[in-house]
Amino acid sequence: MTSSTFFWIFVALYFTHQVAETALTFLNMAHTRKHQGKIPAYFKDKMDGERYQKSIRYTLERSWFGVVIRWLKVPFLWAVILWGGFSALDGFLSSYLDSSTLIFSVAYCLAIGFILLLTGIPVSLYSNFVIEKKFGFNKMTAKLFFLDQLKMLALGAAFGLPILFLIFWLYEVSGPLWWLWAFLSVFGFELFVAAVYPTFLAPLFNKFTPLPNGELKNRILELAQKIRFKLSGIFTIDGSKRSSHSNAYFAGIGRFRRIVLFDTLQSQLSESEIVAVLGHEMGHNKKRHIQKHLILSFVIEGIGFWILSLAIEWEPLYGAFRAGSLAPYKALVLFSLFGGHFTFFLTPLSNYLSRKHEYEADRFSVEVVGDKASMASSLVKLSKENLSNLTPHPLYSFYYYSHPTTLERVQAIENT
Ligand SMILES: [Zn+2]
């Protein structure tokens, strides 16, 4: 294939991706607006009309913002590609660093990462301090926002830099199977981060308080014992300092495993509802969803590294993106930036799997906790509090939703 053929294939895929997802969003907006007049029957006695209208306005406003940002990026990106930005960065850096060194490779990736970070900040600011604020969700101060950014930057550097060095070093020293060693090290590293995240990283952002002794704690421990779910602690965190969105999760691997309740969840749900939600979370573990997810990531990342190893040696890649001479760091950057445009049509597949797991976890909770009513009412309350869209277009939710809609879930629970 020539560079120019590959270029036009990319152009076609890129714009198909953008137009398809924009069309889905508009379809969803129209569908949501059409239901504005009447609240779905199931929610009639569970949610007031005002709240329902607010959830529609929230959906529409966020959708609009998403579309605007998506298309604002288009001219910027194409200006960089057509102007030869990727090889210009090469030239710029080589006046400071020796281009044959590992440091040069890492610096190139860092420069790109830094540009992405900077351009992401205004988007994130608008989303938090305009939209989320308008709908009463944002509780963050500007100071906390920038402190978060700095912490994430520091963590990104602490974890990202050694990994980048390792990848480029393996490429130089370990022969044709370098990609396999690189993939295995990166994957091992990801497992390590996932294991220590709840104990060592999450507390950098939130205050973890052990759940005090009492009725709720007893009920959770009783449930855990009943299904032989091992855990190293139950904590509440001060999620309310950032947002009034609510959540619960359990994270960590092995003996680092913790149950984490947002304080916002605790104030929104009754004890029985919290137990039902945690039954759902434990269900993800008992049904081996985490393991299945890990195996899937293992396969996908392995294939990704293998394709990267081929792409590095493939001239048309550099020609199409006007990136100059062959270099592993440029291939890695192009691969990370543009790979998604070649795989976007797989999005519904992974979401389908995720939705299947959600149904299984709901069913598990109903079976072990034995409280259909609380499981269903917790979902209704959460969608009410979080202003979830109650009437997404079926095509939109099929493509984008990692969770079934609230209505789909409560219907499945009632049929359990
Ligand atoms: Zn779930």
Side-chain angles (χ1 to χ4, degrees):
M1 195 187 293
T2 63
S3 291
S4 124
T5 314
F6 183 58
F7 174 80
W8 288 110
I9 289 176
F10 176 72
V11 170
L13 275 171
Y14 176 88
F15 283 100
T16 308
H17 184 191
Q18 302 296 352
V19 170
E21 289 189 352
T22 305
L24 267 181
T25 305
F26 282 148
L27 190 65
N28 189 49
M29 288 167 78
H31 192 260
T32 307
R33 222 182 264 122
K34 210 173 74 190
H35 285 78
Q36 197 157 20
K38 55 175 196 305
I39 184 162
Y42 181 85
F43 297 96
K44 231 170 210 153
D45 52 343
K46 301 178 180 68
M47 188 191 251
D48 63 79
E50 171 108 27
R51 189 98 201 141
Y52 178 62
Q53 295 304 322
K54 198 173 171 190
S55 77
I56 290 174
R57 290 199 304 275
Y58 184 55
T59 300
L60 295 178
E61 186 140 350
R62 290 208 315 166
S63 305
W64 256 123
F65 183 60
V67 170
V68 169
I69 294 300
R70 172 191 295 277
W71 287 95
L72 269 181
K73 284 179 186 167
V74 173
F76 176 75
L77 177 79
W78 285 97
V80 169
I81 294 177
L82 297 175
W83 166 65
F86 293 104
S87 75
L89 181 60
D90 238 355
F92 173 74
L93 285 176
S94 61
S95 52
Y96 299 96
L97 294 165
D98 174 359
S99 64
S100 64
T101 57
L102 288 180
I103 293 183
F104 186 93
S105 302
V106 174
Y108 190 95
C109 298
L110 276 190
I112 300 282
F114 196 64
I115 295 168
L116 289 179
L117 184 82
L118 283 185
T119 49
I121 285 179
V123 178
S124 187
L125 277 173
Y126 187 88
S127 162
N128 277 301
F129 293 96
V130 179
I131 301 180
E132 293 291 292
K133 188 173 173 208
K134 186 166 160 189
F135 288 90
F137 288 121
N138 183 52
K139 303 288 176 226
M140 224 179 335
T141 58
K143 186 184 157 198
L144 182 62
F145 177 87
F146 284 106
L147 212 61
D148 278 356
Q149 300 290 325
L150 282 176
K151 283 183 198 168
M152 285 191 280
L153 191 65
L155 278 181
F159 290 117
L161 289 179
I163 277 290
L164 284 173
F165 269 108
L166 185 70
I167 291 176
F168 297 128
W169 179 72
L170 284 170
Y171 175 78
E172 275 181 16
V173 302
S174 62
L177 280 182
W178 72 272
W179 62 271
L180 186 61
W181 311 127
F183 156 58
L184 292 174
S185 341
V186 169
F187 197 78
F189 187 74
E190 283 168 0
L191 281 185
F192 167 75
V193 173
V196 301
Y197 174 81
T199 319
F200 299 108
L201 302 181
L204 296 174
F205 295 92
N206 281 99
K207 193 163 170 270
F208 279 63
T209 318
L211 188 67
N213 290 330
E215 176 68 11
L216 178 62
K217 189 174 174 183
N218 290 342
R219 288 178 69 177
I220 295 171
L221 289 176
E222 207 175 288
L223 174 64
Q225 207 170 21
K226 182 176 168 191
I227 59 170
R228 300 213 184 93
F229 181 87
K230 289 191 207 70
L231 57 117
S232 70
I234 309 166
F235 295 84
T236 55
I237 61 166
D238 52 348
S240 57
K241 74 174 174 180
R242 292 198 179 80
S243 164
S244 51
H245 281 300
S246 46
N247 203 357
Y249 65 91
F250 79 89
I253 295 175
R255 63 191 186 87
F256 294 110
R257 190 193 289 158
R258 287 176 163 190
I259 285 184
V260 181
L261 292 173
F262 279 49
D263 54 355
T264 41
L265 187 86
Q266 255 188 306
S267 66
Q268 290 163 3
L269 300 186
S270 73
E271 271 184 19
S272 298
E273 287 165 340
I274 292 177
V275 173
V277 167
L278 291 180
H280 168 102
E281 296 303 325
M282 293 180 195
H284 279 309
N285 179 270
K286 282 283 159 184
K287 295 281 173 190
R288 306 201 164 275
H289 296 158
I290 318 289
Q291 287 91 326
K292 286 176 190 165
H293 182 80
L294 278 178
I295 293 170
L296 197 65
S297 316
F298 186 82
V299 173
I300 291 172
E301 274 181 49
I303 294 173
F305 268 92
W306 174 65
I307 295 177
L308 174 67
S309 76
L310 302 177
I312 288 176
E313 318 292 336
W314 196 57
E315 266 196 85
L317 172 74
Y318 303 88
F321 291 105
R322 310 199 174 180
S325 55
L326 268 69
Y329 57 86
K330 272 186 273 186
L332 180 66
V333 161
L334 295 173
F335 195 76
S336 320
L337 288 179
F338 304 125
H341 299 301
F342 293 85
T343 55
F344 70 92
F345 48 84
L346 297 174
T347 312
L349 215 66
S350 77
N351 281 332
Y352 172 80
L353 188 69
S354 167
R355 291 196 299 268
K356 186 169 165 283
H357 289 168
E358 292 306 320
Y359 281 127
E360 286 174 12
D362 281 348
R363 175 185 281 270
F364 180 87
S365 172
V366 169
E367 281 166 5
V368 298
V369 181
D371 189 351
K372 270 188 194 182
S374 294
M375 187 70 234
S377 63
S378 71
L379 294 175
V380 171
K381 275 193 194 170
L382 288 177
S383 64
K384 201 159 84 178
E385 294 292 341
N386 291 307
L387 294 176
S388 310
N389 184 6
L390 299 182
T391 55
H393 192 282
L395 255 181
Y396 185 85
S397 57
F398 169 77
Y399 184 91
Y400 274 116
Y401 276 28
S402 62
H403 288 56
T405 65
T406 308
L407 199 56
E408 287 167 338
R409 285 175 77 178
V410 294
Q411 271 163 357
I413 288 164
E414 256 143 48
N415 294 332
T416 300

